[in-house]
Structures are given as C-alpha cells and as structure tokens.
Amino acid sequence: MSLQKHDLVHEFPEHRERIHALKLNDNHFARLFAEYHETDHAVHRIESGAEAATDERLEALKVARLRLKDQLYAMIKADAA
C-alpha cells in the first residue's frame, strides 16, 4: 500500500496562499484545519503501522477527514469569490 500525504496544501496546492491567510485570519477555519491535520496524522500512523486500530476505526477517521476536507474546501472557495 502506498502512503500518500493528505495534508491540505498537498490536496489543494493552487490555494496555498489562501489557506495560509485563512489560517491566520479566520478562527473557525484555523480550528477545522487543526482538526483535519490531527485526523490525517492519525490515519497516517495507522496506515504506516505505527499505531494499531480496527478497520472500523480507520474508516471512521477517513470519513471524518473527508468531511473536514469538504468543509475546508468550501471555505476556501467562498473566500475566493
């Protein structure tokens, strides 16, 4: 299995500056960004074998990561408008 980076800047490199600005100026975005980062890190630890977890736990984390990414992307797009 290939482990891919899913941090937000790798997911949306074209929005690097906007992500940075939102992290600095929007507390809600910054909180969701931190939660996304923590969730992504937890998924990576499990997938790399550094931490054990059930398949259900891993899937729940992946779903949470996807929901956070969707929310963050919506905020990025709204900021661009």
Side-chain angles (χ1 to χ4, degrees):
M1 169 179 20
S2 171
L3 299 178
Q4 296 181 2
K5 290 191 89 58
H6 287 277
D7 64 80
L8 215 55
V9 174
H10 280 89
E11 292 290 309
F12 307 118
E14 68 278 13
H15 297 295
R16 177 183 304 267
E17 291 83 16
R18 185 167 290 120
I19 291 168
H20 180 71
L22 284 166
K23 281 185 353 188
L24 293 176
N25 300 313
D26 185 324
N27 290 335
H28 181 63
F29 184 91
R31 184 183 58 76
L32 290 177
F33 181 89
E35 188 176 344
Y36 177 87
H37 177 74
E38 290 169 14
T39 304
D40 184 52
H41 188 66
V43 169
H44 185 71
R45 284 193 317 265
I46 293 167
E47 290 181 335
S48 69
E51 184 177 314
T54 64
D55 289 343
E56 292 80 12
R57 174 72 178 138
L58 178 58
E59 287 306 310
L61 284 168
K62 287 181 176 183
V63 167
R65 179 177 66 185
L66 183 59
R67 286 187 179 140
L68 287 164
K69 182 167 71 170
D70 287 347
Q71 290 175 0
L72 289 161
Y73 184 69
M75 293 174 80
I76 291 166
K77 293 303 282 183
D79 185 65

